[in-house]
């Protein structure tokens, strides 16, 4: 039984991911860590139930102030991915999304469906003006999602952050409320 969820397909559901699900989230990250770790900093520090709880609690705290939010994607009741608003700045009208999936859950459009739903909510219900997507240039699957969402590549921040021992570029993609109309 689930309290709140959005059906992405007959078998896949997008639901809030909350601190009480820390154990399930920690086990999920452990299972798919090699797939996520090249791209997602939190896949390095979510290592056990306690670090997962702290990570989810930070999102619960920011959500309570109408800031960031985090969601999981379950397929046939098993956690297989997620999506988040890393930033949700209502006064500025700007938010930033992030996504992930298990390797076996890729190729079915689940993250595009989830991101579209969250983008629609942000733009149409919450009146946000701009949704950002930050991605390293070598992450072709993530860039393909940004394109499917109708985002435009606005520019590249060169060597903007150190990750996995290398200074990485970050592409900024974005969708504006006017683009989606
Ligand atoms: C980024 C990531 C979530 C993309 O996953 P994905 O499965 O490629 O993306 P989607 O769920 O949108 O699925 C798209 C694929 O499903 C197919 N598809 C099937 N039905 C579809 C539908 N209804 N709508 C859209 N695509 C559909 C598409 O053709 C595409 O297939 P292709 O890869 O063969 O071209 C995944 O690669 C991942 O978790 N990577 C590691 C973490 C990461 O990099 N996160 C992003 C950091 S910026």
């Amino acid at each position: 039984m689930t309290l709140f969820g959005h059906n992405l397909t007959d078998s896949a559901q997008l639901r809030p991911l909350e601190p009480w699900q820390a154990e399930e989230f920690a086990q999920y990250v452990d299972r798919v860590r090699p797939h996520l770790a090249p791209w997602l900093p939190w896949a390095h520090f979510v290592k056990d139930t306690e670090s997962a709880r702290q990570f989810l609690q930070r999102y619960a705290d920011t959500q309570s102030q109408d800031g960031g939010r985090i969601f999981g994607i379950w397929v046939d009741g098993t956690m297989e991915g997620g999506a988040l608003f890393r930033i949700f700045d209502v006064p500025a009208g700007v938010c930033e999304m992030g996504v992930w999936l298990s390797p076996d859950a890729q190729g079915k459009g689940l993250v595009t469906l989830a991101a579209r739903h969250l983008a629609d909510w942000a733009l149409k219900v919450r009146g946000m003006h701009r949704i950002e997507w930050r991605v390293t240039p070598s992450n072709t699957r993530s860039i393909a999602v940004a394109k499917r969402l109708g985002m435009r590549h606005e520019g590249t921040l060169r060597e903007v952050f150190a990750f996995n021992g290398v200074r990485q570029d970050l592409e900024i993609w974005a969708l504006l409320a006017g683009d989606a109309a």
Side-chain angles (χ1 to χ4, degrees), residues 39 99-101 106-112 139 141-142 148:
W39 316 109
V99 293
W100 62 96
L101 281 175
Q106 292 180 134
K108 299 170 186 166
L110 295 181
V111 137
T112 297
N139 196 341
R141 273 190 174 272
S142 177
R148 277 194 289 274

Side-chain angles (χ1 to χ4, degrees), residues 23-145:
E23 186 176 1
E24 183 181 9
F25 184 55
Q27 286 171 359
Y28 170 74
V29 176
D30 210 38
R31 174 159 67 86
V32 299
R33 195 182 316 279
H35 176 64
L36 304 185
W39 316 109
L40 300 170
W42 53 260
H44 293 255
F45 59 77
V46 173
K47 288 194 163 147
D48 50 24
T49 302
E50 182 51 26
S51 50
R53 195 196 58 73
Q54 286 172 11
F55 180 71
L56 296 179
Q57 189 63 52
R58 278 204 298 278
Y59 272 93
D61 291 346
T62 179
Q63 176 169 344
S64 75
Q65 295 167 47
D66 203 14
R69 289 163 191 263
I70 187 165
F71 305 88
I73 294 172
W74 281 262
V75 180
D76 292 326
T78 301
M79 185 182 288
E80 296 292 1
L84 52 75
F85 286 114
R86 195 180 73 85
I87 292 167
F88 200 85
D89 184 342
V90 176
V94 175
C95 57
E96 182 195 323
M97 290 177 56
V99 293
W100 62 96
L101 281 175
S102 312
D104 289 350
Q106 292 180 134
K108 299 170 186 166
L110 295 181
V111 137
T112 297
L113 291 169
R116 257 196 208 123
H117 182 66
L118 295 177
D120 278 355
W121 179 78
L123 296 174
K124 294 175 186 167
V125 178
R126 301 305 313 278
M128 299 300 271
H129 186 71
R130 173 181 168 85
I131 304 175
E132 293 186 354
W133 192 272
R134 293 176 175 235
V135 56
T136 51
S138 56
N139 196 341
T140 51
R141 273 190 174 272
S142 177
I143 290 169
V145 178

